[in-house]
Amino acid sequence: MQRLDSETRRELAHLLYSSMPLVGTISAGAVVIGAVMAWVARDPGYAAITMALLVIGVFRVVKLLMFAARFDQLDDADIIRWERLYGLGAAAFGLAVGGLSARAFQIGDGPGIWMCFGLSMSFCVGIVSRVSPWIVMSSSAVLLIPTVIACVLQPEPVFRMGAAMLVLFWITLRGTSYRLTAAFTERIEAQQALRRQAHQDFLTGLPNRAAFIAALRGLDGPAAIIAIDLDGFKSINDAFGHQAGDELLCQVGARLRQCLGDSGLASRFGGDEFMLLLPVAAAQPGRDAAGALARRVVSSLADPFVLAGTRVQIGASAGILLAEHRTAETEALIDQADRALYAAKRAGGHQWRWADEEPADTDWTRADDTPALAPAV
């Protein structure tokens, strides 16, 4: 079984704890069957095991409700603990059902044996769909072992044959559990890949426009929005081909990540335009942090790149907006940063402009993408 990443394990745990109908039904059924067997046989052993089934069933249902209420706040370590807790509850329930079956054999209760057999098969069929092989194997083992032992102790050979069949059933259950888990894992990973594609640029691996807008909307405090456009990118595409241009964009994305570190978000909006989002302090400290980031980016992107063994050099222009009060819509904030960016490009490129310093009547039609620095081959 492959090692699961935290996101996949989280999804599987959620699926594990989405079994309220199954757990509730099997718990209620086991208590009813145990109560009927205890009443008909007037056996205190049946009664004690039925009480245990009731307590375990209530415990499992309560834990399902608690997990649903707390799921959004759980971290990776919590998810692992809750998965183990589910396994403990399932094993305890399986052991109680197995004990009920063994008691039926012990007192020679034929109808009780059949009722316990049906209950055991229902539990096994239900638990195998819970997509966690260790839970399936442990809970079904403690369920079937008391019955297998009771069958072996019977004098009739047919019961020994039944014990062998139960062992084979457990082995089959194991294979089925692993196949189902693999299928569920593949489905979850495919869904995760689709979600990533919806919020990730396929070329650079950076978040895309939708992810940037979502991140901006999710911020509560002041933030710096920095629009980045490459100077001279078109000449690289024309001289070296689109494959080299794609490689250059990937290297640019890597440098933007380095400039930001862990403090912000770099995204690709399309073509050779990128957008940075940096949570900052209000007023002058935030302005200083945004300006320092713009300087690092413009300086970093002015350093030579290596494409297929050839050194090339471009540059970058930047537009900076310090969004403190969020009175404007998200798209309007991005447009303001774009206006400052194009002002920087019209001024010659390889520099940055502040959105609040740009004249209101400036024509912000995008300037021609002509390089101020020729490629250095």
Side-chain angles (χ1 to χ4, degrees):
M1 190 71 186
Q2 63 177 356
R3 184 179 181 84
L4 302 176
D5 60 70
S6 60
E7 188 177 356
T8 301
R9 180 181 287 275
R10 187 178 182 84
E11 292 286 346
L12 289 174
H14 186 270
L15 186 61
L16 189 69
Y17 272 90
S18 65
S19 56
M20 178 63 77
L22 171 66
V23 172
T25 300
I26 196 69
S27 298
V31 171
V32 170
I33 289 174
V36 169
M37 291 169 61
W39 181 75
V40 171
R42 299 291 193 273
D43 180 62
Y46 280 160
I49 296 172
T50 301
M51 286 301 300
L53 286 169
L54 177 61
V55 172
I56 295 169
V58 170
F59 171 81
R60 297 184 72 200
V61 169
V62 169
K63 288 302 178 183
L64 289 177
L65 296 173
M66 291 175 61
F67 180 85
R70 301 177 182 179
F71 178 70
D72 293 337
Q73 289 76 43
L74 300 180
D75 58 22
D76 293 345
D78 293 330
I79 289 293
I80 294 175
R81 285 194 293 270
W82 278 91
E83 181 182 339
R84 291 172 179 171
L85 186 62
Y86 188 98
L88 178 63
F93 186 83
L95 183 61
V97 173
L100 195 67
S101 177
R103 181 62 178 171
F105 274 99
Q106 185 180 16
I107 65 175
D109 182 6
I113 291 174
W114 278 109
M115 284 193 289
C116 289
F117 180 78
L119 182 62
S120 299
M121 293 301 102
S122 298
F123 177 78
C124 289
V125 170
I127 198 70
V128 76
S129 65
R130 292 300 90 202
V131 302
S132 187
W134 76 266
I135 293 177
V136 174
M137 302 318 299
S138 60
S139 58
S140 60
V142 297
L143 166 70
L144 295 176
I145 286 174
T147 304
V148 169
I149 294 174
C151 287
V152 171
L153 295 178
Q154 299 301 309
E156 295 87 350
V158 67
F159 284 104
R160 296 186 179 88
M161 293 177 59
M165 293 299 295
L166 287 177
V167 173
L168 291 176
F169 172 74
W170 183 83
I171 295 173
T172 303
L173 202 67
R174 178 181 183 275
T176 302
S177 174
Y178 275 96
R179 285 192 295 272
L180 282 175
T181 301
F184 276 113
T185 301
E186 289 177 3
R187 188 186 72 178
I188 290 172
E189 290 175 344
Q191 292 172 343
Q192 292 171 351
L194 288 175
R195 287 196 294 267
R196 284 193 294 268
Q197 289 173 10
H199 291 84
Q200 187 178 57
D201 176 58
F202 73 95
L203 177 63
T204 63
L206 294 175
N208 61 14
R209 182 187 185 97
F212 181 91
I213 291 175
L216 178 57
R217 288 174 177 166
L219 285 179
D220 295 328
I225 301 172
I226 304 178
I228 306 292
D229 193 84
L230 303 183
D231 299 324
F233 176 74
K234 185 175 182 299
S235 66
I236 298 298
N237 256 345
D238 294 342
F240 298 97
H242 290 291
Q243 185 173 357
D246 290 346
E247 172 59 26
L248 177 59
L249 291 174
C250 292
Q251 292 186 33
V252 167
R255 290 194 186 182
L256 292 178
R257 288 194 191 97
Q258 291 176 352
C259 291
L260 273 169
D262 298 327
S263 56
L265 175 74
S267 68
R268 182 188 177 209
F269 268 41
D272 59 339
E273 185 173 357
F274 298 82
M275 202 66 79
L276 308 183
L277 180 63
L278 179 68
V280 295
Q284 192 60 43
R287 192 177 182 89
D288 292 342
L293 176 59
R295 284 193 295 273
R296 287 199 304 272
V297 168
V298 172
S299 175
S300 175
L301 297 184
D303 291 337
F305 293 84
V306 178
L307 301 176
T310 302
R311 287 165 59 88
V312 299
Q313 194 166 5
I314 57 171
S317 301
I320 314 171
L321 171 68
L322 185 61
E324 291 190 90
H325 306 296
R326 308 290 177 83
T327 56
E329 295 292 332
T330 301
E331 291 290 350
L333 295 174
I334 294 173
D335 286 344
Q336 291 178 51
D338 274 337
R339 288 175 181 270
L341 163 65
Y342 298 138
K345 290 186 74 70
R346 284 192 303 274
H350 312 290
Q351 56 189 291
W352 58 92
R353 287 287 186 271
W354 287 89
D356 57 3
E357 293 178 349
E358 182 189 5
D361 59 350
T362 300
D363 177 14
W364 67 293
T365 303
R366 179 168 180 167
D368 292 336
D369 189 15
T370 53
L373 293 176
V377 180

